[in-house]
Amino acid sequence: MSIQERMRDVERRIVEACERSGRSPGGVNVLAVTKYVSAAAAANAVAHGVRHIGENRWPDSEEKWRLLHGQAVFHFIGSLQTRKVKDVVGRFDYIHSLDRLPLAEEIQKRAEALDLTVSCFIQVNVSGESSKHGLAPEELPGFAAALRGMDRIRPVGLMTMAPLAAVPEDARPVFRRLRQWRDELNESGAFREPIRELSMGMSGDFEVAVEEGATWVRLGSVLIGKEEDI
């Protein structure tokens, strides 16, 4: 399949998931995960309408960023080490993996130095798997309170990764609980302003995520394909 065909297929599947759940497709954003393909493949996707690029590591994304920044919005979606903040802040428009206080403090410090504000998703380990990063859900209220004192960090939403499962439906409870946590935090006034976004769902389970309220889905193989597809 060409990138155009994959984009149309993804769009159709999102529309159908929205119809099943009574949502508007306009509330779902597609983030193309390009970490496994070259800068040429990423550029091909952007040339055909992809507007949001997701990458996990700065060394792997540097060539793509230098080629495509200004043409695409860059999202950092990998686990972020504190010592790597200097490579990410100022280059990536969104960070999807804010998951601990020392990382927040370093982002705040770097953003102050660059005189900018960083839009961040708070990563939550809803499933409780030891192999996954993220705050435990019960840590969210305290973490939100700490972020109130960091004026260079703008929390925009929550992010999670569901366990890998043969049946996408198995991911539904994880996605539903993340939405519930977002709503509960907003009802309690936990943040300076309400958070709206939910970054959840990947190639194998994004339709279920959309049905449960995802506003960002992170799609690699189902959208970008493989290197030989360019």
Side-chain angles (χ1 to χ4, degrees), residues 50-189:
V50 165
R51 289 293 169 262
H52 294 272
I53 294 289
E55 286 282 331
N56 282 45
R57 298 175 67 251
W58 169 244
D60 297 335
S61 60
E62 182 174 1
E63 183 182 1
K64 297 165 195 169
W65 185 86
R66 298 195 183 283
L67 179 66
L68 297 172
H69 79 278
Q71 300 178 54
V73 176
F74 276 74
H75 297 241
F76 190 86
I77 59 174
S79 178
L80 181 55
Q81 296 176 319
T82 304
R83 62 188 178 89
K84 298 294 186 180
V85 165
K86 65 183 185 303
D87 297 326
V88 171
V89 172
R91 293 188 173 111
F92 289 80
D93 301 273
Y94 292 87
I95 294 173
H96 286 240
S97 49
L98 177 57
D99 64 354
R100 59 197 185 280
L101 191 56
L103 177 58
E105 292 168 343
E106 190 64 25
I107 291 172
Q108 170 75 12
K109 178 181 175 182
R110 182 65 175 170
E112 284 179 342
L114 296 176
D115 192 22
L116 51 78
T117 300
V118 185
S119 295
C120 294
F121 291 79
I122 299 168
Q123 184 169 358
V124 188
N125 186 357
V126 177
S127 69
E129 288 182 290
S130 59
S131 60
K132 286 186 168 50
H133 296 276
L135 292 165
E138 58 269 20
E139 296 177 303
L140 280 169
F143 191 69
L147 291 181
R148 279 181 167 270
M150 301 184 190
D151 61 343
R152 298 298 181 144
I153 293 177
R154 178 174 175 254
V156 296
L158 305 180
M159 184 274 262
T160 199
M161 297 179 67
L164 291 176
V167 181
E169 185 65 27
D170 291 345
R172 188 178 298 278
V174 171
F175 298 145
R176 180 172 296 169
R177 191 65 186 119
L178 191 74
R179 171 169 50 84
Q180 291 169 341
W181 270 109
R182 180 201 60 185
D183 295 346
E184 290 168 17
L185 289 166
N186 285 338
E187 288 170 6
S188 70

